[in-house]
Amino acid sequence: MGKPLPCRSVFDEASIWKILARIAPPVMLAQLIQAMYNIVDSFFVGRFSSDGLTALSVIYPVQLIVVAVAVGTGVGVNTQMSQDYARGRYTKADRCAGAGMVLAVLSWLIFVPITLLFLKPYVMVSASSPQAVEYALTYGYIVCIGSLGVFLEGVWSKVHQASGNMKRPMLAQVAGAAVNIVLDPILIFGLGPVPQMGVAGAAAATVAGQAVAALITCNGARKPPKLRALKAYAARIYHLGYPSIFMQMLYTVYIVALNLVLAGFSDSAVTVLGLYYKLQSFFFIPTFGLQTCIVPLLSYTYAKQEYDRCKKVLWDVMLLSAGFMLAAVAAFELIPAQLLSVFGGNREVVTIGVPALRIIGLSFLPAVASLTMPIFFQAIGKAKPSVLLSLTRQIFCLIPLFWGFSKLGLNYTWLAFPCSEIITGTVGFCLYGRQTQRWKLYHPTKTAADAAERSTNMKLITAIISTKDADEVCQALAKGGFYFTKMATSGGFLSSGNTTLLIGTEGEKVSDAVAIIKANCSKRVEPVQLATRAAAATNLTEVVVGGATVFVTEVEHFEKM
């Protein structure tokens, strides 16, 4: 079973800043270590061979595909579990986690043969140096075949985050990156009895780190649902997670497209793009960390229909992200040569990269909106706006602009980045405005007097449910903080028994209790014996049973003695 009560105590905190202060630092620390791993990985490979550094840039889009499917599946699990927790469906949250684990393994089994089939043709068109091609194939085959840890950790970490536990995923990321960083120089250059493995050693270190991260988060594993129910869970997970998968996949599409454009200039230009994304992963840590945190927070808040709070979460996160992003702008504008020199100081790479980083740095502030808005829509279950924004940013704008500016010269190509972020951010604000108008139209805010009146009125909920659903409903109500009296009863038409629950609660909590009852009662068709005087043992008929009948009545006086 999951642990929903910590989730409620974290996400129900009145101050959003306090929530972020509690859950964001572990995520940011984990991503910092992960970014350091990316930089250190490239640092050691760059010292080994400049062709090896090009190979890593070529394989980077392929690795993004793995991350896209793994993290996207995890986001779908995370979002659904957060909504289930908010509605008291704790058993279903655990089943969703189990389904996610099965999907992670299936994704790996599908990905490996596809890699074996298509990796070589992709590498051949992405690099011109024979040595770079050889290194790219070596590195690519190892990290792709050994990627099971990425798929599993991507789901298990999100299971922990759905209940507000950010520390376990942080520990996994830190430990995995530490293993990678320690093994990199040993396996790449050799040490004692360990032979020099070169680029293959860097790939082996990566796989080892991913396996360690998966082992640390493995207590996020849950029992999978039955096979016939798995399809329904998978459909829901991918409905919620496909915007994230799609958005990550688009990184692969546009990086491949951009690499093809840059390959027409030189391999060093391709290397610069790859190094930019390594550096970006470091400087964007606060933004990406906050985005990771607001998915369960927004999903939980949206499920409780607290729309004004959803808006506040978005604006607080964007304001905080913009503050952090100023540091990235300063670094890219003031010390681009020093940043590039970390990876070996190749003269041609530095010459191309300095103006590139300075131009790209102009895109960072508008990127706050273009990156956060898709996450906002994804978290509230609005997949279409999220996908549209991702397409606008990476396909409709970046690739055509990059190709068009390349006709003017290599230095002009980088202007595509700030232009794309500004256009996408503008579209995002328009879609956000339309969403908030719908909230005002269909869900008007209640006045303070209304809220006070609801909170002072006690209600008695009488719920008649099927005996087969009673245990799950009672368990969910207890975890939701409701007190109740359970009575065994029977109806007048059917001979099968049922259960009546008497629940006393405040007026403002009635909707929560009813939502829990509804979520844990299922209708089904069963053969039932008729309770008539002439009924024989074989007098059966198929009827719809289950569900719930709920009465809510005013309580004139309530006193607990």
Side-chain angles (χ1 to χ4, degrees):
M1 292 295 293
K3 297 182 179 180
L5 293 181
C7 170
R8 292 180 63 86
S9 65
V10 172
F11 297 147
D12 283 329
E13 166 69 47
S15 172
I16 294 170
W17 292 91
K18 287 184 179 179
I19 296 174
L20 295 176
R22 179 173 178 178
I23 67 177
V27 176
M28 291 182 183
L29 178 59
Q31 294 188 351
L32 172 63
I33 301 299
Q34 189 68 21
M36 290 298 297
Y37 137 67
N38 286 331
I39 292 175
V40 170
D41 202 40
S42 296
F43 171 82
F44 285 120
V45 172
R47 291 294 184 273
F48 175 76
S49 167
S50 59
D51 285 325
L53 200 56
T54 300
L56 263 62
S57 296
V58 170
I59 295 300
Y60 185 64
V62 181
Q63 291 177 286
L64 282 179
I65 295 177
V66 179
V67 173
V69 177
V71 174
T73 305
V75 167
V77 171
N78 184 326
T79 305
Q80 184 60 49
M81 289 183 69
S82 297
Q83 293 179 1
D84 286 337
Y85 283 155
R87 294 164 180 161
R89 301 184 301 197
Y90 307 117
T91 301
K92 292 188 176 181
D94 279 346
R95 290 173 183 167
C96 178
M101 181 177 66
V102 174
L103 295 176
V105 175
L106 290 177
S107 298
W108 176 71
L109 290 174
I110 294 171
F111 178 75
V112 169
I114 292 176
T115 299
L116 297 175
L117 190 61
F118 292 106
L119 186 63
K120 186 173 183 179
Y122 159 70
V123 170
M124 294 297 293
V125 300
S126 300
S128 56
S129 165
Q131 189 65 67
V133 170
E134 179 184 345
Y135 284 153
L137 289 173
T138 299
Y139 188 88
Y141 283 132
I142 294 174
V143 297
C144 292
I145 294 173
S147 61
L148 178 60
V150 181
F151 287 104
L152 289 174
E153 189 267 335
V155 170
W156 288 338
S157 286
K158 298 301 181 184
V159 171
H160 290 294
Q161 291 173 359
S163 61
N165 180 6
M166 304 295 176
K167 292 182 179 179
R168 175 74 63 163
M170 175 200 71
L171 177 62
Q173 290 290 319
V174 170
V179 168
N180 198 327
I181 291 171
V182 171
L183 290 180
D184 257 337
I186 296 174
L187 298 181
I188 292 174
F189 301 106
L191 179 66
V194 180
Q196 176 178 297
M197 298 174 63
V199 172
T206 297
V207 171
Q210 293 165 351
V212 169
L215 287 174
I216 291 175
T217 57
C218 69
N219 64 337
R222 300 287 186 268
K223 183 179 179 180
K226 294 181 180 179
L227 186 60
R228 61 186 179 184
L230 181 62
K231 183 178 180 180
Y233 280 102
R236 184 59 182 165
I237 288 170
Y238 285 126
H239 173 74
L240 294 169
Y242 91 85
S244 178
I245 296 175
F246 191 74
M247 187 164 52
Q248 293 278 353
M249 285 286 194
L250 291 183
Y251 278 111
T252 302
V253 172
Y254 86 73
I255 291 175
V256 169
L258 269 51
N259 279 345
L260 292 176
V261 173
L262 293 174
F265 292 99
S266 68
D267 277 356
S268 293
V270 175
T271 302
V272 167
L273 183 66
L275 294 182
Y276 157 65
Y277 283 109
K278 301 283 186 179
L279 292 168
Q280 181 208 63
S281 67
F282 179 80
F283 286 104
F284 279 29
I285 286 170
T287 298
F288 291 152
L290 290 170
Q291 289 176 358
T292 299
C293 293
I294 66 172
V295 169
L297 174 57
L298 277 172
S299 298
Y300 183 85
T301 305
Y302 180 77
K304 297 183 73 174
Q305 298 184 347
E306 297 176 358
Y307 303 118
D308 285 341
R309 184 173 169 87
C310 287
K311 292 187 286 185
K312 190 173 186 336
V313 169
L314 174 67
W315 286 105
D316 284 354
V317 165
M318 288 182 62
L319 178 62
L320 194 56
S321 296
F324 284 119
M325 200 66 83
L326 288 173
V329 174
F332 272 57
E333 298 301 326
L334 299 177
I335 54 170
Q338 290 86 336
L339 293 175
L340 292 167
S341 297
V342 171
F343 303 101
N346 181 288
R347 180 174 299 178
E348 186 179 3
V349 169
V350 173
T351 301
I352 295 172
V354 167
L357 293 191
R358 283 181 172 151
I359 294 172
I360 294 173
L362 300 175
S363 68
F364 289 170
L365 281 178
V368 170
S370 64
L371 289 171
T372 308
M373 285 295 184
I375 300 298
F376 169 78
F377 285 109
Q378 176 188 334
I380 66 173
K382 305 296 182 182
K384 290 182 180 179
S386 180
V387 170
L388 176 61
L389 289 172
S390 299
L391 282 171
T392 300
R393 178 174 180 262
Q394 299 169 8
I395 302 298
F396 300 153
C397 290
L398 187 57
I399 293 177
L401 289 174
F402 198 88
W403 176 81
F405 284 130
S406 72
K407 300 302 179 182
L408 301 177
L410 177 58
N411 285 343
Y412 290 94
T413 58
W414 315 111
L415 289 170
F417 286 90
C419 292
S420 298
E421 304 293 6
I422 292 171
I423 294 171
T424 306
T426 303
V427 175
F429 280 120
C430 293
L431 293 173
Y432 170 77
R434 188 174 69 172
Q435 179 63 50
T436 56
Q437 287 299 317
R438 288 178 176 174
W439 282 343
K440 289 180 181 179
L441 179 62
Y442 296 108
H443 304 280
T445 304
K446 301 295 183 182
T447 65
D450 292 336
E453 183 180 355
R454 286 198 308 272
S455 64
T456 56
N457 291 332
M458 287 296 297
K459 307 288 184 180
L460 176 64
I461 303 174
T462 304
I464 304 170
I465 63 176
S466 170
T467 301
K468 293 183 178 180
D469 295 325
D471 288 341
E472 189 167 338
V473 173
C474 291
Q475 185 180 37
L477 285 170
K479 289 183 177 180
F482 292 97
Y483 297 96
F484 55 86
T485 299
K486 176 181 175 183
M487 299 182 295
T489 54
S490 61
F493 174 67
L494 301 177
S495 61
S496 59
N498 51 40
T499 297
T500 298
L501 301 177
L502 301 179
I503 308 163
T505 186
E506 298 89 345
E508 63 180 0
K509 294 183 178 180
V510 168
S511 59
D512 293 338
V514 172
I516 290 175
I517 295 168
K518 182 178 180 181
N520 292 277
C521 289
S522 58
K523 289 187 177 182
R524 51 196 172 270
V525 176
E526 291 184 356
V528 177
Q529 183 176 346
L530 295 178
T532 60
R533 188 172 298 176
T538 58
N539 191 11
L540 300 177
T541 184
E542 287 193 347
V543 298
V544 177
V545 299
T549 301
V550 178
F551 302 91
V552 180
T553 55
E554 297 282 351
V555 176
E556 183 176 344
H557 177 74
F558 172 79
E559 186 174 347
K560 190 172 182 179
M561 299 180 183

